[in-house]
Amino acid sequence: FLGAVATPSTINSDQRTIDVVFYSGQPVQRIDAMTGDPYLLAFDPQGADLSLLNSGAPVLDHHMNGGATSQLGIIQRAWTDGGKYLAQLKFSKRPAIDGIWQDLTDGILAHFSMGVELLSVTEQRDHTGALAQKTATSWRPFEISTEPLPADFGTTTLGRADARERGNYMSETTNTSANVNTAEDLAAIRMIARRVNLGAFGEDLIARETPMK
């Protein structure tokens, strides 16, 4: 990384709120659960449904949904601006969240990832018949997570986004496949689901490309 790291400028420490870019609008790389081959997943802006995010959806840590302690806060509102998807996050004031909030204000935690339901999808294949791209023509985010290694490295806090646009923050090309399930991940999903007699549920998670990362 080159240049200065900006302290997020939208922080309200009294209310523990911060504005973030939770999706940059760019396609992200995924893995075909059936073949193990990579493809691009794009989201049609016309098909975005932000209703759940605007109804107090949760802020989670790394997509972990292990009960009340996994929830870091709530989403106060979500909107679009210039092709990017933004949200105002409100974090809990309970002591267990203090360290995460401090890292956000210090610019250490700076990336995010959305949990999203793909309601309608079209596919594009290359000349060999391999899947090249899926486009979600109807999609509905249902949570936003703090995520050190997101699939979309265009996600950020708005202070850092502003600095990046001013040229004060530059980075080398980043591997955006970090949030993609590997073959080992898929095997782990199946093993865990079968241990608790939820094999069908595990296959559903795989079909919906639910990330383990």
Side-chain angles (χ1 to χ4, degrees), residues 21 24 68 87 98 100 111 121 135 140 165 172 178 192-193 205 209:
V21 178
S24 71
D98 289 350
I100 291 175
H111 295 296
V121 176
T135 300
R140 182 167 55 208
E165 290 172 2
E172 301 295 333
I192 294 169
L205 291 177
E209 300 170 351

Side-chain angles (χ1 to χ4, degrees), residues 7-195:
T7 299
S9 62
T10 59
I11 281 180
N12 183 321
S13 295
D14 291 335
Q15 297 296 319
R16 272 204 177 178
T17 60
I18 186 171
D19 294 354
V20 306
V21 178
F22 69 87
Y23 174 49
S24 71
Q26 299 301 309
V28 294
Q29 192 178 58
R30 309 299 292 170
I31 294 292
D32 188 334
M34 301 299 294
T35 67
D37 295 328
Y39 67 90
L40 289 178
L41 175 61
F43 294 86
D44 183 350
Q46 300 299 317
D49 177 359
L50 305 182
S51 61
L52 295 180
L53 299 188
N54 282 304
S55 300
V59 178
L60 302 178
D61 179 17
H62 196 60
H63 302 291
M64 302 296 286
N65 184 19
T69 57
S70 298
Q71 184 169 348
L72 306 180
I74 63 169
I75 300 159
Q76 292 204 306
R77 64 188 184 101
W79 68 99
T80 61
D81 184 6
K84 293 183 172 63
Y85 294 79
L86 284 64
Q88 184 175 86
L89 312 183
K90 180 178 177 65
F91 283 80
S92 169
K93 293 184 178 180
R94 69 182 188 267
I97 310 301
D98 289 350
I100 291 175
W101 177 252
Q102 187 63 54
D103 284 347
L104 283 165
T105 60
D106 289 343
I108 295 171
L109 278 177
H111 295 296
F112 302 88
S113 179
M114 63 176 173
V116 59
E117 183 180 6
L118 306 184
L119 303 172
S120 179
V121 176
T122 61
E123 295 185 354
Q124 295 177 334
R125 296 186 177 272
D126 63 20
H127 67 282
T128 69
L131 180 62
Q133 178 169 309
K134 284 185 180 181
T135 300
T137 55
S138 179
W139 50 286
R140 182 167 55 208
F142 54 85
E143 58 94 354
I144 296 174
S145 285
T146 57
E147 181 57 67
L149 292 174
D152 178 8
F153 265 82
T155 63
T156 188
T157 56
L158 287 193
R160 288 169 65 101
D162 293 343
R164 191 176 292 167
E165 290 172 2
R166 291 194 304 268
N168 294 331
Y169 183 90
M170 301 171 59
S171 65
E172 301 295 333
T173 301
T174 310
N175 178 11
T176 60
S177 63
N179 205 30
V180 174
N181 285 335
T182 64
E184 291 79 7
D185 293 332
L186 300 180
I189 291 174
R190 289 190 172 98
M191 179 184 68
I192 294 169
R194 288 169 181 168
R195 281 182 179 176

